[in-house]
Amino acid sequence: MNASPSQPHPAEWTETQGLLPSVERDLPAGRHQFHKEQMMVQIREDLRTTAVAPVRRNPFLRRAVLLPALACALAGAVVGGLALTGGDDGNASLATGPALTTRIGAADAQGADRLLDHISLAAADTSEPAVRDDQFLYIASKVASTYEKTVDDKTTVVSEKLHSRQVWESPDGRNGWLIEPGNTSEDGITLAGPNPISSAYDRLTQLPTEPGALLRKIYQESDAVRDPEVPRDQAAFVAIGDLLTESYPPANLTAALYKAAAEIPGVVAVDDAVDATGRHGVAIARLDEQSGQRTEWIFDKKTYAFLGERSVQVEPNETFKKGTVTFTVAITQRAVVNEMKEVPGRAG
């Protein structure tokens, strides 16, 4: 997939005029999956040495699914020597404005199996390059989040400006790099640690591709770290979605993930959804009845290629109004490159 041009005002979002100044804040739900997975490696080891029940990790688990105590440790901390700092920019360049909103697509519980079958077949038919140990997986995306911001005791709901995110990762997960304007310096930050992460390409190639066995493993790993308030089925659905975004699963595993998702109760098809760059598609989704948010995986209507993911508030709560987009990501490019920080198609 070729990188799409930046679209500051995606379709069906509110315009971000009169942008508010950025302030220091906690990580919003759905952000920095790569950061958090790296930190989870060390947190698991720390827990084991302090007589707390061991934590097995599921790839890229979102903060809403993590145990509350662990979630607090993920709010920008540097853990166990992992290099997660890279400049003084902080969040200063990520301007914030009115909350992102969208039209809520109609859900069809009966159509989910049929749509997932089409998507699975398309994924299995996708050709993929071989990945050598000395190469890197490159993923480019456009992302934005919505969160509460408090200034002078006044709390408002604001959204980040849509911005670019680039990640490089070695197949074993030991080396990586992140460039995300506003959250890193211009040159980016290193994402490296002593242990391979569970979402690394090498580890993904070892996961079962029989849908039943794969789903059992997903439930087992997500059960070990999810917040008890997050429904078990929702945690499993989110875990699969995380593997579809900022990672590089082999084609046979991707097809198996879709077949596994079809077995999760509450999964529905959505007639129309919009990714972070404004591309319309169909979606596979599931409503978290606890939060009222619906997680949507968005696909091209003709090719069934994965476009991105978003979380939409379909049932209003104390924080978000109905139709608020709390998190959105559009995958613009995936590629295998020979060097860290190499951008496909760019000379030099």
Side-chain angles (χ1 to χ4, degrees):
M1 186 186 314
N2 294 325
S4 301
S6 174
Q7 300 182 32
H9 302 298
E12 298 192 275
W13 286 11
T14 56
E15 297 291 330
T16 53
Q17 299 176 351
L19 298 178
L20 299 172
S22 176
V23 297
E24 182 177 353
R25 59 180 173 79
D26 197 354
L27 292 176
R31 291 299 315 283
H32 300 322
Q33 296 101 317
F34 194 93
H35 292 60
K36 290 185 276 190
E37 180 60 27
Q38 291 269 19
M39 289 191 232
M40 284 297 293
V41 173
Q42 187 62 43
I43 290 172
R44 180 187 63 171
E45 299 305 320
D46 291 344
L47 289 174
R48 284 176 173 170
T49 61
T50 54
V52 179
V55 174
R56 294 186 298 275
R57 296 157 292 111
N58 201 52
F60 297 130
L61 277 173
R62 296 213 179 89
R63 184 173 177 182
V65 182
L66 297 172
L67 291 167
L70 297 183
C72 294
L74 299 173
V78 178
V79 181
L82 297 179
L84 294 173
T85 60
D88 298 324
D89 289 352
N91 292 313
S93 65
L94 288 184
T96 54
L100 306 175
T101 61
T102 189
R103 183 188 74 84
I104 299 175
D108 176 13
Q110 302 302 318
D113 286 350
R114 182 174 65 256
L115 179 56
L116 278 166
D117 186 53
H118 290 317
I119 293 169
S120 178
L121 289 172
D125 194 41
T126 302
S127 61
E128 57 183 15
V131 183
R132 300 194 312 264
D133 291 343
D134 62 342
Q135 292 182 310
F136 290 86
L137 292 313
Y138 170 79
I139 300 174
S141 60
K142 299 284 188 177
V143 298
S145 291
T146 301
Y147 54 91
E148 286 186 299
K149 180 177 113 177
T150 301
V151 178
D152 296 330
D153 297 326
K154 182 180 179 180
T155 300
T156 56
V157 175
V158 296
S159 293
E160 295 171 333
K161 183 178 180 180
L162 184 70
H163 60 280
S164 298
R165 178 177 167 91
Q166 295 173 289
V167 171
W168 291 261
E169 182 189 7
S170 62
D172 63 6
R174 294 177 181 272
N175 296 295
W177 196 264
L178 168 69
I179 298 177
E180 185 175 2
N183 284 315
T184 73
S185 67
E186 183 178 349
D187 293 331
I189 60 175
T190 183
L191 299 172
N195 300 309
I197 62 174
S198 63
S199 55
Y201 180 81
D202 288 352
R203 198 270 181 169
L204 296 182
T205 61
Q206 299 173 10
L207 291 177
T209 55
E210 193 283 312
L214 179 59
L215 185 59
R216 287 192 294 273
K217 188 168 186 61
I218 289 168
Y219 272 113
Q220 179 185 34
E221 294 193 353
S222 61
D223 282 348
V225 294
R226 69 182 173 88
D227 185 330
E229 294 184 1
V230 176
R232 185 171 186 256
D233 293 329
Q234 183 67 13
F237 186 81
V238 167
I240 292 176
D242 286 340
L243 280 178
L244 299 174
T245 51
E246 205 161 87
S247 67
Y248 201 93
N252 60 344
L253 177 61
T254 303
L257 286 169
Y258 293 133
K259 291 180 180 178
E263 301 303 317
I264 298 176
V267 172
V268 300
V270 176
D271 65 343
D272 184 63
V274 188
D275 78 357
T277 62
R279 297 175 296 190
H280 284 255
V282 292
I284 291 296
R286 192 180 190 284
L287 174 67
D288 180 352
E289 296 180 353
Q290 296 293 327
S291 67
Q293 288 187 22
R294 189 169 74 187
T295 300
E296 300 177 346
W297 308 337
I298 306 170
F299 301 87
D300 184 275
K301 292 182 179 181
K302 294 182 179 179
T303 67
Y304 300 114
F306 180 76
L307 301 179
E309 182 180 349
R310 69 178 183 177
S311 295
V312 179
Q313 195 74 38
V314 299
E315 296 178 0
N317 60 20
E318 294 180 358
T319 303
F320 300 118
K321 296 180 180 179
K322 182 177 181 179
T324 300
V325 179
T326 60
F327 173 69
T328 183
V329 54
I331 302 301
T332 56
Q333 190 173 23
R334 297 183 200 259
V336 179
V337 296
N338 294 322
E339 303 288 340
M340 183 92 80
K341 293 186 276 187
E342 176 186 345
V343 177
R346 182 179 298 177

